[in-house]
């Protein structure tokens, strides 16, 4: 199965069914209209060998990641988590102690973000470890922050630093729930998402759903210290910052005046950086040393090569 | 991992966290209090080798079952399904065609019960097929039908027939959504659940949560035609009817006057049968040929053995 093509098929198969729901497959979370309030629902499954290697990481890290990737999707909608539902697929040889460490870690990060585990399903089988988490959240009076509402002229902002997931950051990142809620309450944001697959791919998704394009300012990227320690080669640093994925920072589209106010205020404990601008022309470009070139779908290619 | 013990551990770990939610782990679905309405949430994961054998059944059957077991949990709460979220864990060698047949089957049974697929997560990996479904439902003005509210003196009713899952019924059963909604609207029900692990085990669960006991009338069991075709031995038939599991019929506790009205009316397309009574003394008994014996935890043992 080619995952992207299959997800597109699912979207087309269910498009009519979900017309009564506000937004279906495609954003970070589904939005369901309640009688007087919108709910957001996100689900992510992580599996041994694909999203983590059980023989290389601790059960606590696995549990934390299973929950954190979902909390990050709730953050991407600028919503508040309400409850989590956890389905475990445990290898039959898993000990109770190991399973307990996984679950305690899930429960602990849930508590950090007021997101109790309210249900789930526990199964043992002959296969490897997999964990499905679904989180139900509530939107604030501002409503959900969508991917599809970026406007040409909006500045593109990111929280925190980019790169470093390959050195372990993907196991201990902080979901930007609090940051998203604060920014969405205090400022007018056009659109938002979390960076799970790297800026290069994710900005393309936001642009596609918003029917616009973007220019990414490669000279302005907030490259993580971990990435700088890994390599002193500038091209390599940029490639990792926009291509490694699993940064789980926020990507926001904000009208210029409001963006300047955010950049001036710097209201978070982590930096907020302007990494580009939305443009009317569809497609994604890289701006580097004053040169404007298409940003390859596969990520960064150095302009002078 | 011993699943039952582990689930009990989870309940104790999360008991305090979920105090603000109406009901946590333990019922067929979690109940979440919205501002003006209760939501029910249920999730069940089915995996190749545990809940189905992918080399013996069609992809359509697998998809249908993944969804139907969850719809049955929504029925158990006498709630209306609103939306489903489907996480797929696909073997890397799965073809697009196969995955599409699974999903189309999921979408199709969803449509039958007004339950669109509104989100999910698709992953490929080196392991076997597993599907996690979560369904979000709404309660009716009657509120959720719980397991924990059976009263001594209540009659125990079941819909449909028991036994037959081993001959394939677990792959094509009809979730009792419509039946549960009709009964819960027209009659005053004390408690309810769906029969997923066999009457012998499930009635024990209802009794434990309701802090009462039960007497099961073995002579009255609505034994399925499939079971009768499998064996003419009465003891074998009873053992299968109460022990095979995966009937996915409703078990209801109803005050005697109201129960008599239901049995008289027979308002469903399937029969409703009185299979026992709730008693104040905790424990579960079998009544057979006028004899009252403890019903073994493992299921039926013939009284004269």
């Amino acid at each position: 199965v080619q995952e992207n093509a299959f997800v597109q098929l699912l979207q087309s198969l269910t498009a009519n069914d979900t017309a009564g729901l506000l937004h279906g497959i495609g954003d970070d979370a589904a939005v369901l209209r309640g009688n007087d309030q919108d709910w957001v629902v996100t689900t992510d499954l992580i599996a041994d060998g694909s999203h983590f290697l059980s023989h290389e990481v601790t059960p606590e890290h696995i549990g934390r990641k299973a929950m954190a990737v979902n909390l990050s999707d709730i953050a991407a909608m600028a919503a508040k988590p309400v409850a989590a539902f956890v389905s475990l697929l445990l290898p039959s040889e898993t000990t109770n102690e190991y399973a307990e460490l996984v679950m305690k870690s899930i429960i602990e990060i849930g508590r950090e973000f007021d997101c109790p585990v309210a249900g789930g399903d526990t199964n043992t089988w002959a296969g490897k470890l997999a964990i499905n988490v679904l989180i139900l959240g509530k939107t604030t009076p501002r409503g959900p922050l969508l991917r599809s509402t970026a406007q040409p002229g909006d500045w593109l902002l990111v929280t925190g630093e980019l790169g470093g997931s390959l050195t372990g950051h993907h196991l201990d990142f902080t979901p930007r729930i609090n940051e998203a809620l604060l920014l969405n309450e205090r400022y007018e944001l056009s659109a938002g998402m979390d960076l799970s697959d790297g800026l290069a791919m994710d900005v393309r998704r936001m642009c596609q759903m918003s029917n616009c394009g973007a220019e990414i300012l490669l000279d302005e990227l907030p490259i993580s210290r971990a990435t700088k320690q890994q390599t002193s080669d500038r091209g390599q640093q940029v490639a990792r910052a926009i291509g490694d994925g699993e940064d789980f920072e926020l990507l926001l589209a904000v009208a210029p005046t409001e963006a300047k106010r955010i950049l001036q205020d710097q209201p978070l404990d982590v930096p907020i950086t302007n990494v580009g601008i939305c443009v009317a022309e569809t497609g994604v470009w890289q701006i580097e040393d004053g040169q404007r070139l298409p940003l390859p779908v596969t990520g960064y290619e150095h302009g002078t090569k």
Side-chain angles (χ1 to χ4, degrees), chain A residues 87 93 96 128 197:
Chain A
S87 294
E93 68 271 19
N96 270 331
K128 286 186 169 185
D197 291 322

mmCIF file of all heavy atoms in Angstrom, chain A residues 87 93 96 128 197:
data_model
loop_
_atom_site.group_PDB
_atom_site.id
_atom_site.type_symbol
_atom_site.label_atom_id
_atom_site.label_comp_id
_atom_site.label_asym_id
_atom_site.label_seq_id
_atom_site.Cartn_x
_atom_site.Cartn_y
_atom_site.Cartn_z
ATOM 1 N N SER A 87 -5.499 2.108 22.550
ATOM 2 C CA SER A 87 -5.556 0.690 22.203
ATOM 3 C C SER A 87 -4.147 0.137 22.122
ATOM 4 O O SER A 87 -3.301 0.674 21.412
ATOM 5 C CB SER A 87 -6.251 0.494 20.855
ATOM 6 O OG SER A 87 -7.611 0.864 20.951
ATOM 7 N N GLU A 93 4.710 -12.039 24.579
ATOM 8 C CA GLU A 93 5.794 -12.202 25.554
ATOM 9 C C GLU A 93 6.020 -10.956 26.410
ATOM 10 O O GLU A 93 6.849 -10.961 27.314
ATOM 11 C CB GLU A 93 7.102 -12.598 24.850
ATOM 12 C CG GLU A 93 7.731 -11.523 23.963
ATOM 13 C CD GLU A 93 7.218 -11.563 22.523
ATOM 14 O OE1 GLU A 93 6.137 -12.170 22.291
ATOM 15 O OE2 GLU A 93 7.876 -10.987 21.639
ATOM 16 N N ASN A 96 3.928 -7.905 32.276
ATOM 17 C CA ASN A 96 3.040 -6.923 32.879
ATOM 18 C C ASN A 96 3.803 -5.653 33.234
ATOM 19 O O ASN A 96 3.284 -4.552 33.097
ATOM 20 C CB ASN A 96 2.401 -7.487 34.155
ATOM 21 C CG ASN A 96 1.097 -8.195 33.859
ATOM 22 O OD1 ASN A 96 0.399 -7.844 32.906
ATOM 23 N ND2 ASN A 96 0.772 -9.190 34.666
ATOM 24 N N LYS A 128 4.246 -7.674 16.832
ATOM 25 C CA LYS A 128 5.019 -6.693 17.593
ATOM 26 C C LYS A 128 4.114 -5.656 18.263
ATOM 27 O O LYS A 128 2.914 -5.613 18.040
ATOM 28 C CB LYS A 128 5.982 -5.978 16.639
ATOM 29 C CG LYS A 128 7.171 -6.835 16.210
ATOM 30 C CD LYS A 128 8.138 -5.980 15.395
ATOM 31 C CE LYS A 128 9.464 -6.679 15.168
ATOM 32 N NZ LYS A 128 10.402 -5.765 14.482
ATOM 33 N N ASP A 197 6.208 16.047 9.493
ATOM 34 C CA ASP A 197 6.984 15.434 8.409
ATOM 35 C C ASP A 197 8.039 16.365 7.825
ATOM 36 O O ASP A 197 8.536 16.120 6.714
ATOM 37 C CB ASP A 197 6.039 14.961 7.294
ATOM 38 C CG ASP A 197 5.188 13.792 7.745
ATOM 39 O OD1 ASP A 197 5.701 12.933 8.482
ATOM 40 O OD2 ASP A 197 4.003 13.736 7.386
#
